[in-house]
Structures are given as C-alpha cells and as structure tokens.
Amino acid sequence: MRRVLPLLLLAFCAAVGVAAANTAELPESVALSERDEARYERLVQELRCLVCQNQSVAESNAPLALDLRRIVRRMLAEGHSDREIKEFMRGRYGDFVLYQPPFNAVTALLWVGPAVLLLVAFLLWWRRLRTGVVVEDDDET
Amino acid sequence: MTKMARFSVPALLLALLVGLLYVGMQDIDRSLASPLIGLPAPALPPADEGAQALLPELDGRPHLVNFWASWCLPCLEEHPILMRMAGEGIPIIGVNYKDDPAAAERWLQRHGNPFAVILEDRRGSFAIDWGVYGVPETYVVDADGVIRSKRVGVVDRAFKEEHRALLLPGVDG
C-alpha cells in the first residue's frame, strides 16, 4: 500500500490537472496563431483574477476569469498589442489587475524599497568591516 | 552609547517596518479604487422598449447604477437599503447581471423593485467595461454622467449617507 499510495496520488493529481485544463479551454473558442497563442499564455499569467485575488487569470476558474481570458483571446485575434490589452484591463480594474504593477508615484516605494533596504544594509555592513570596532566591542562585553 | 545605538537603531527600523505593514493590512475591505472614478460612465446595456421610454428621465440627474442578479445573496442583503433610497427619490438603474430574465422578474415581484430602469447584461460584457468583478457593485453617477464613487459589495447606510447630498440635490436632510 505504501508504494501504491504515491502512485495513486500522482494519478489523482494528473486527473485533476487534465480536468482543470479542460474547463479552462471551454470558453476559448477563437483560434490563434502559434505566436499569438504564446502571447496569450503569457498575458493571462500576468493578469490577476479580481475575484480570487491570489490567482492569475490563467489559473482561476472564476466566471470573471473565463470572461477575461475570452477578451484577451479576442483582442489578440483582432491584432491588439500586449500593451493595448494590458491598458484595456488597467483602465477597468486599475493597477491591481497587473501582477507587475507599473512604476508610478504610488508604487515607487514598492519598487525602490527593497533595493534601498539592501543598499542601507550593505553600507552598514561595509562600515562595520572597515572600522572593525564591532569585534573588539563584542569581546569586551 | 554605541552599544545602545547598535540595538536601538535596528529595533526602531523594525518597528517602523512592522508599523508600515500593519497600516497596509488595514485595507481589507477590497475597496480597490476604481480607475473609472472621475471619468464618464461607460455605455449601459441596450434598453428594451419599456426602458427606452424611461431612460431620458434620468438625463442630467444624479443616479445610482447597481449591478445585481437574482442568484446573488448579498444583493438581497442590500435590497432594503436600495428600496429606501428609491423611496427617497434617488433613481437607480438596475443592471441585471448574467441572470435569467424570468428569475429576475420573480425576484423583483417577491422582494419589491427599487429600480427606475432595468437593463439586461446577459453575458456580463457591459459589466466588464464598468470594471465590475462581482455582484453587487454600485456606482454613483452625477448629473454630468461622470462616475463619482463605487461600492464593491453590499450598499449600507453609511454609503447612503455619504452620497445623499450628491444624489438628492436640493433636499435638505
């Protein structure tokens, strides 16, 4: 049994995966060229599903995600650029719909923050190394 | 002194960061500001003959646009407030979202109809232009047809009080 269990689990996961892939395919009726298909896959990964906010439009089976996937397909078929499609979504749902938010006044801290923190940490570390005060200090206490 | 600084500076920074994250966490009502606020309202679903006759009455009047469905439980929850607002003279356009018209009709007969005009968005495509991501959602549209505010989820008394002045100009209250 112990050996069979992982296999069973694997089979189950595979079956669920296939089922999920099938439902995901349902609304996408518009045929796309191979290149556009790749663009489609990338775009729906980059869009957030507004209903289940920690899933992308690609992953979610919420009705809204199905609608948005359909729209992305249609816009690709109509020859819109990636930027136009993202702007379409952003104009309706705001920056939040993009997993990679654009750089602006509101998101500046988000983008720059980690780099600034890292820089500060590095400067502190460097100063400590150079002065060498730390080690002696620690020994004394 | 240096030892003191060595301890207190990182502690202070940590406290600041925790404070920042804590403040960030307070925005839990999912009230993501709509990018449509301040812009002209998008097109509404086409009106049938009955609604066509009623729509001109709303021209140049502030009103609400409420996306709802008979299958939506929170819509029932906010229904009494909508009825009260309608009773006070606030025009509400009801956009029936991904619903079966017969079911919608039954729902309105059973609970009462707060809507001045009812429009149908069977496929939910108009709702996407409005940036709706789930019913109920309610928009405040001013006399110039500009979206002034949006409520995601149930409309409550606070919402009603907040927008009373805009929705009922000339009525003191």
Side-chain angles (χ1 to χ4, degrees):
Chain A
M1 188 60 201
R2 219 184 243 180
R3 271 192 198 174
V4 184
L5 199 60
L7 281 178
L8 275 176
L9 273 175
L10 195 70
F12 176 74
C13 291
V16 169
V18 168
N22 282 343
T23 21
E25 284 317 308
L26 271 179
E28 279 107 64
S29 45
V30 193
L32 293 175
S33 70
E34 207 170 301
R35 213 181 110 254
D36 283 349
E37 195 68 46
R39 283 173 62 204
Y40 166 80
E41 292 297 334
R42 207 187 51 247
L43 273 168
V44 290
Q45 292 282 351
E46 287 173 18
L47 295 173
R48 186 196 299 272
C49 170
L50 286 305
V51 181
C52 22
Q53 301 182 345
N54 289 323
Q55 281 187 308
S56 71
V57 163
E59 296 161 317
S60 174
N61 276 323
L64 181 72
L66 298 186
D67 290 347
L68 295 183
R69 285 206 290 270
R70 207 181 299 161
I71 286 175
V72 171
R73 273 193 103 81
R74 206 192 55 216
M75 290 185 79
L76 282 170
E78 286 167 1
H80 291 278
S81 72
D82 290 9
R83 243 193 71 194
E84 283 169 343
I85 294 173
K86 283 186 187 171
E87 276 309 309
F88 176 94
M89 295 296 170
R90 205 160 74 92
R92 285 157 179 75
Y93 296 104
D95 288 347
F96 192 69
V97 75
L98 304 175
Y99 259 117
Q100 201 172 69
F103 188 91
N104 58 38
V106 181
T107 59
L109 187 65
L110 185 71
W111 279 106
V112 180
V116 168
L117 280 180
L118 196 69
L119 194 71
V120 167
F122 180 76
L123 281 176
L124 286 176
W125 176 68
W126 188 62
R127 220 184 55 180
R128 273 181 119 178
L129 272 188
R130 231 176 46 141
T131 49
V133 193
V134 187
V135 186
E136 293 151 40
D137 214 40
D138 275 348
D139 282 346
E140 272 167 20
T141 48
Chain B
M1 183 56 211
T2 42
K3 224 179 111 193
M4 179 83 168
R6 217 150 32 94
F7 172 75
S8 57
V9 169
L12 198 71
L13 285 175
L14 183 68
L16 271 174
L17 187 65
V18 169
L20 186 73
L21 295 178
Y22 183 78
V23 170
M25 266 164 46
Q26 302 311 302
D27 183 28
I28 49 172
D29 59 353
R30 304 196 306 158
S31 62
L32 302 161
S34 169
L36 291 165
I37 288 169
L39 297 178
L44 285 162
D48 62 18
E49 275 170 39
Q52 196 84 62
L54 294 167
L55 272 176
E57 277 181 44
L58 298 180
D59 251 6
R61 280 180 73 190
H63 58 273
L64 294 177
V65 176
N66 175 251
F67 288 81
W68 68 286
S70 66
W71 46 261
C72 144
L73 272 178
C75 296
L76 196 54
E77 194 186 321
E78 70 174 6
H79 183 261
I81 298 271
L82 292 182
M83 289 298 278
R84 215 166 309 149
M85 291 174 99
E88 285 174 24
I90 297 170
I92 308 174
I93 297 179
V95 181
N96 191 217
Y97 177 78
K98 289 190 179 178
D99 207 349
D100 165 37
E105 181 92 44
R106 273 199 305 278
W107 193 89
L108 289 172
Q109 265 167 18
R110 197 155 133 212
H111 303 292
N113 179 5
F115 303 121
V117 181
I118 298 169
L119 304 170
E120 261 181 58
D121 189 8
R122 286 295 286 278
R123 295 181 55 213
S125 52
F126 290 90
I128 286 176
D129 287 339
W130 283 73
V132 169
Y133 45 92
V135 278
E137 280 186 27
T138 307
Y139 295 80
V140 179
V141 181
D142 69 13
D144 301 323
V146 171
I147 294 182
R148 297 289 289 270
S149 178
K150 171 186 182 181
R151 166 61 67 101
V152 175
V154 175
V155 163
D156 54 15
R157 270 179 77 168
F159 176 88
K160 179 177 161 232
E161 292 311 318
E162 193 186 335
H163 299 293
R164 210 189 136 84
L166 193 148
L167 289 164
L168 287 171
V171 179
D172 288 329

XYZ file of all heavy atoms in Angstrom, chain B residues 98-153:
443
model
N -25.802 38.620 -15.777
C -25.746 37.168 -16.033
C -26.902 36.432 -15.362
O -26.698 35.506 -14.592
C -24.417 36.602 -15.530
C -23.227 37.030 -16.370
C -22.001 36.255 -15.978
C -20.812 36.649 -16.834
N -19.594 35.959 -16.447
N -28.098 36.886 -15.671
C -29.262 36.347 -14.987
C -30.265 35.833 -16.009
O -30.197 36.169 -17.199
C -29.893 37.454 -14.131
C -30.642 36.896 -12.932
O -30.856 35.669 -12.879
O -31.011 37.691 -12.064
N -31.191 35.022 -15.512
C -32.297 34.565 -16.331
C -33.434 35.576 -16.139
O -33.837 35.837 -15.003
C -32.696 33.159 -15.859
C -34.048 32.753 -16.393
O -34.352 33.107 -17.550
O -34.803 32.093 -15.650
N -33.908 36.208 -17.222
C -34.899 37.292 -17.069
C -36.115 36.865 -16.255
O -36.634 37.651 -15.453
C -35.304 37.597 -18.515
C -34.191 37.102 -19.361
C -33.559 35.960 -18.624
N -36.558 35.612 -16.428
C -37.730 35.151 -15.680
C -37.424 35.104 -14.187
O -38.241 35.513 -13.359
C -38.159 33.772 -16.187
N -36.232 34.619 -13.848
C -35.831 34.544 -12.438
C -35.708 35.942 -11.849
O -36.106 36.191 -10.706
C -34.512 33.793 -12.305
N -35.178 36.869 -12.643
C -35.026 38.250 -12.186
C -36.396 38.865 -11.911
O -36.611 39.532 -10.893
C -34.280 39.067 -13.237
N -37.307 38.611 -12.822
C -38.682 39.116 -12.700
C -39.337 38.600 -11.407
O -39.920 39.362 -10.639
C -39.474 38.617 -13.920
C -40.904 39.073 -13.974
C -41.036 40.365 -14.777
O -40.404 40.438 -15.850
O -41.749 41.271 -14.319
N -39.184 37.293 -11.183
C -39.753 36.689 -9.969
C -39.152 37.312 -8.718
O -39.850 37.602 -7.752
C -39.473 35.168 -9.964
C -40.519 34.336 -10.688
C -40.441 32.885 -10.262
N -39.115 32.303 -10.434
C -38.646 31.825 -11.587
N -39.404 31.851 -12.664
N -37.428 31.314 -11.671
N -37.835 37.501 -8.750
C -37.117 38.072 -7.604
C -37.672 39.452 -7.267
O -37.920 39.785 -6.115
C -35.634 38.148 -7.970
C -34.676 38.412 -6.847
C -34.082 37.475 -6.052
C -34.155 39.684 -6.414
N -33.227 38.076 -5.162
C -33.247 39.436 -5.356
C -34.365 41.000 -6.816
C -32.558 40.453 -4.706
C -33.670 42.015 -6.162
C -32.781 41.731 -5.112
N -37.895 40.261 -8.315
C -38.380 41.620 -8.105
C -39.817 41.619 -7.591
O -40.189 42.440 -6.753
C -38.291 42.419 -9.412
C -36.874 42.770 -9.857
C -36.883 43.371 -11.246
C -36.227 43.733 -8.867
N -40.617 40.670 -8.102
C -42.001 40.598 -7.656
C -42.067 40.209 -6.190
O -42.887 40.709 -5.425
C -42.768 39.594 -8.505
C -43.486 40.279 -9.659
C -43.988 39.317 -10.694
O -44.108 38.123 -10.415
N -44.263 39.811 -11.878
N -41.183 39.306 -5.807
C -41.197 38.789 -4.451
C -40.675 39.828 -3.443
O -41.247 39.990 -2.386
C -40.333 37.535 -4.401
C -40.613 36.726 -3.183
C -40.261 35.268 -3.409
N -39.488 34.803 -2.283
C -38.550 33.890 -2.361
N -38.257 33.343 -3.527
N -37.915 33.502 -1.298
N -39.600 40.517 -3.812
C -38.956 41.387 -2.823
C -39.261 42.856 -3.031
O -39.016 43.667 -2.144
C -37.435 41.185 -2.874
C -37.025 39.765 -2.658
N -37.175 39.130 -1.455
C -36.503 38.838 -3.500
C -36.746 37.884 -1.546
N -36.341 37.675 -2.777
N -39.763 43.226 -4.182
C -40.007 44.633 -4.489
C -38.970 45.145 -5.463
O -37.850 44.633 -5.519
N -39.354 46.162 -6.221
C -38.468 46.657 -7.271
C -37.963 48.061 -6.954
O -38.709 49.026 -7.014
C -39.237 46.663 -8.600
C -38.369 47.194 -9.732
O -37.183 47.467 -9.558
N -38.975 47.340 -10.901
N -36.673 48.184 -6.615
C -36.134 49.515 -6.299
C -35.662 50.276 -7.541
O -35.214 51.407 -7.431
C -34.934 49.182 -5.403
C -34.473 47.849 -5.887
C -35.665 47.125 -6.446
N -35.762 49.654 -8.703
C -35.099 50.218 -9.879
C -36.032 51.079 -10.722
O -37.155 50.695 -11.023
C -34.534 49.099 -10.760
C -33.578 48.215 -10.014
C -33.815 46.853 -9.885
C -32.443 48.743 -9.423
C -32.938 46.038 -9.190
C -31.558 47.941 -8.717
C -31.814 46.581 -8.607
N -35.520 52.237 -11.114
C -36.266 53.102 -12.020
C -36.250 52.488 -13.418
O -37.230 52.559 -14.149
C -35.641 54.495 -12.044
N -35.124 51.911 -13.768
C -34.959 51.279 -15.074
C -34.189 49.981 -14.863
O -33.258 49.938 -14.059
C -34.156 52.187 -16.041
C -34.016 51.533 -17.401
C -34.797 53.552 -16.169
N -34.593 48.954 -15.583
C -33.847 47.696 -15.504
C -33.273 47.363 -16.875
O -33.986 47.378 -17.890
C -34.759 46.550 -15.025
C -35.279 46.863 -13.627
C -33.995 45.222 -15.008
C -36.379 45.941 -13.182
N -31.977 47.109 -16.897
C -31.297 46.747 -18.143
C -30.693 45.355 -17.970
O -30.385 44.941 -16.859
C -30.204 47.765 -18.463
C -30.676 49.221 -18.562
C -29.497 50.165 -18.625
C -31.575 49.405 -19.791
N -30.526 44.673 -19.085
C -30.045 43.296 -19.010
C -28.635 43.166 -19.585
O -28.387 43.561 -20.715
C -30.968 42.400 -19.832
C -31.992 41.665 -19.018
C -32.839 40.799 -19.923
O -32.251 39.935 -20.611
O -34.064 41.021 -19.953
N -27.765 42.577 -18.781
C -26.422 42.261 -19.260
C -26.248 40.748 -19.150
O -25.626 40.239 -18.222
C -25.381 43.018 -18.416
C -23.967 42.912 -18.988
O -23.815 42.379 -20.105
O -23.037 43.362 -18.322
N -26.805 40.060 -20.121
C -26.875 38.589 -20.040
C -25.499 37.952 -19.986
O -25.260 37.013 -19.253
C -27.619 38.009 -21.259
C -29.098 38.211 -21.240
C -29.772 37.473 -20.105
N -29.875 36.030 -20.286
C -30.799 35.416 -20.999
N -31.699 36.115 -21.645
N -30.836 34.105 -21.076
N -24.566 38.483 -20.793
C -23.251 37.851 -20.872
C -22.219 38.534 -19.975
O -21.079 38.082 -19.878
C -22.767 37.851 -22.318
C -23.673 36.979 -23.209
C -23.187 36.969 -24.622
N -21.798 36.563 -24.699
C -20.944 37.034 -25.599
N -21.337 37.930 -26.462
N -19.707 36.608 -25.628
N -22.615 39.599 -19.331
C -21.701 40.273 -18.419
C -20.625 41.085 -19.121
O -19.637 41.460 -18.512
N -20.830 41.370 -20.406
C -19.772 42.072 -21.136
C -19.781 43.575 -20.847
O -18.727 44.207 -20.807
C -19.910 41.820 -22.634
O -21.216 42.120 -23.054
N -20.974 44.126 -20.607
C -21.026 45.547 -20.258
C -20.415 45.773 -18.877
O -19.755 46.768 -18.628
C -22.466 46.063 -20.319
C -22.985 46.140 -21.717
C -23.638 45.061 -22.301
C -22.794 47.287 -22.467
C -24.096 45.136 -23.610
C -23.256 47.371 -23.768
C -23.905 46.281 -24.347
N -20.660 44.805 -17.999
C -20.121 44.907 -16.637
C -18.602 45.024 -16.672
O -18.006 45.733 -15.860
C -20.545 43.696 -15.817
N -17.967 44.333 -17.608
C -16.506 44.395 -17.692
C -16.055 45.807 -18.051
O -15.078 46.315 -17.514
C -15.975 43.336 -18.682
C -16.077 41.962 -18.009
C -14.540 43.632 -19.104
C -15.687 40.802 -18.870
N -16.815 46.474 -18.926
C -16.467 47.862 -19.258
C -16.590 48.778 -18.047
O -15.911 49.796 -17.966
C -17.356 48.377 -20.384
C -16.965 47.760 -21.725
O -15.819 47.286 -21.836
O -17.795 47.752 -22.646
N -17.452 48.394 -17.111
C -17.612 49.184 -15.889
C -16.602 48.751 -14.824
O -16.566 49.330 -13.734
C -19.031 49.023 -15.334
C -20.050 49.828 -16.077
C -20.543 49.575 -17.331
C -20.710 51.018 -15.632
N -21.465 50.528 -17.679
C -21.591 51.425 -16.651
C -20.651 51.771 -14.455
C -22.392 52.563 -16.540
C -21.455 52.897 -14.345
C -22.315 53.285 -15.391
N -15.834 47.716 -15.102
C -14.870 47.235 -14.108
C -15.506 46.465 -12.969
O -14.977 46.412 -11.871
N -16.654 45.846 -13.255
C -17.327 45.042 -12.228
C -16.589 43.718 -12.082
O -16.220 43.107 -13.082
C -18.794 44.771 -12.647
C -19.436 43.728 -11.746
C -19.596 46.060 -12.634
N -16.328 43.286 -10.827
C -15.806 41.942 -10.729
C -16.661 40.993 -9.919
O -16.325 39.840 -9.755
C -14.328 41.874 -10.336
C -13.857 42.744 -9.224
C -13.833 42.280 -7.932
C -13.387 44.015 -9.507
C -13.339 43.078 -6.912
C -12.898 44.814 -8.500
C -12.874 44.344 -7.203
O -12.379 45.128 -6.212
N -17.757 41.440 -9.447
C -18.706 40.538 -8.805
C -19.900 41.330 -8.336
O -19.747 42.468 -7.911
N -21.084 40.766 -8.434
C -22.268 41.477 -7.967
C -22.402 41.279 -6.456
O -21.997 40.229 -5.954
C -23.539 40.991 -8.697
C -23.659 41.663 -10.031
C -23.586 39.488 -8.821
N -22.971 42.208 -5.713
C -23.404 43.510 -6.205
C -22.270 44.542 -6.233
O -21.391 44.509 -5.407
C -24.439 43.925 -5.156
C -23.953 43.298 -3.887
C -23.277 42.014 -4.290
N -22.357 45.421 -7.217
C -21.489 46.593 -7.240
C -22.355 47.789 -7.623
O -23.261 47.663 -8.441
C -20.339 46.404 -8.241
C -19.221 45.560 -7.661
C -17.995 45.444 -8.545
O -17.747 46.365 -9.340
O -17.309 44.424 -8.445
N -22.050 48.916 -7.013
C -22.892 50.088 -7.200
C -22.043 51.311 -7.508
O -21.038 51.541 -6.845
C -23.740 50.338 -5.926
O -24.434 49.127 -5.608
C -24.738 51.447 -6.149
N -22.462 52.050 -8.510
C -21.743 53.246 -8.935
C -22.608 54.474 -8.703
O -23.810 54.441 -8.950
C -21.397 53.160 -10.424
C -20.422 52.049 -10.738
C -20.856 50.737 -10.846
C -19.074 52.310 -10.913
C -19.972 49.707 -11.113
C -18.184 51.293 -11.191
C -18.622 49.994 -11.289
O -17.742 48.978 -11.547
N -21.960 55.542 -8.258
C -22.636 56.826 -8.128
C -22.284 57.648 -9.365
O -21.106 57.919 -9.611
C -22.187 57.576 -6.855
C -22.878 58.926 -6.763
C -22.472 56.729 -5.618
N -23.303 58.005 -10.141
C -23.081 58.791 -11.357
C -23.725 60.158 -11.162
O -24.886 60.243 -10.744
C -23.699 58.079 -12.586
C -23.441 58.873 -13.852
C -23.152 56.660 -12.723
N -22.963 61.217 -11.417
C -23.511 62.554 -11.177
C -24.315 63.066 -12.374
O -24.478 62.366 -13.382
C -22.401 63.540 -10.761
C -21.437 63.851 -11.902
O -21.745 63.515 -13.067
O -20.358 64.424 -11.630
N -24.799 64.295 -12.254
C -25.692 64.845 -13.271
C -25.015 64.950 -14.636
O -25.676 64.932 -15.674
C -26.193 66.221 -12.825
N -23.699 65.049 -14.654
C -22.968 65.136 -15.924
C -22.623 63.769 -16.495
O -21.901 63.679 -17.498
C -21.674 65.939 -15.723
C -21.958 67.349 -15.228
O -22.964 67.921 -15.685
O -21.193 67.848 -14.381
N -23.074 62.711 -15.822
C -22.779 61.373 -16.326
C -21.377 60.894 -15.969
O -20.843 59.988 -16.594
N -20.768 61.533 -14.950
C -19.424 61.151 -14.520
C -19.519 60.256 -13.285
O -20.304 60.527 -12.375
C -18.581 62.413 -14.197
C -17.256 62.038 -13.546
C -18.352 63.225 -15.456
N -18.726 59.181 -13.284
C -18.719 58.283 -12.124
C -18.016 58.971 -10.961
O -16.893 59.435 -11.092
C -18.013 56.950 -12.464
C -18.827 56.199 -13.510
C -17.831 56.103 -11.209
C -18.254 54.861 -13.875
N -18.690 59.052 -9.832
C -18.117 59.759 -8.682
C -17.635 58.804 -7.602
O -16.762 59.136 -6.812
C -19.158 60.724 -8.106
C -19.548 61.813 -9.083
C -18.426 62.810 -9.282
N -18.258 63.607 -8.089
C -18.894 64.738 -7.864
N -19.715 65.220 -8.769
N -18.707 65.404 -6.747
N -18.225 57.630 -7.555
C -17.851 56.706 -6.489
C -18.299 55.297 -6.863
O -19.159 55.118 -7.721
C -18.526 57.145 -5.188
O -18.215 56.249 -4.152
N -17.665 54.330 -6.210
C -18.034 52.942 -6.493
C -18.043 52.169 -5.186
O -17.178 52.354 -4.337
C -17.009 52.332 -7.440
C -17.174 50.828 -7.618
C -16.052 50.238 -8.456
C -16.275 48.757 -8.663
N -15.205 48.138 -9.443
N -19.018 51.307 -5.027
C -19.055 50.421 -3.870
C -18.987 48.981 -4.374
O -19.822 48.553 -5.160
C -20.346 50.660 -3.070
C -20.676 49.592 -2.034
C -19.621 49.438 -0.967
N -19.477 50.584 -0.093
C -19.996 50.642 1.142
N -20.692 49.636 1.615
N -19.800 51.710 1.882
N -17.971 48.280 -3.910
C -17.882 46.848 -4.214
C -18.548 46.124 -3.063
O -18.147 46.288 -1.922
C -16.413 46.401 -4.343
C -16.328 44.898 -4.536
C -15.741 47.119 -5.490
N -19.565 45.349 -3.370
C -20.269 44.630 -2.314
C -21.491 45.393 -1.853
O -21.963 46.318 -2.528
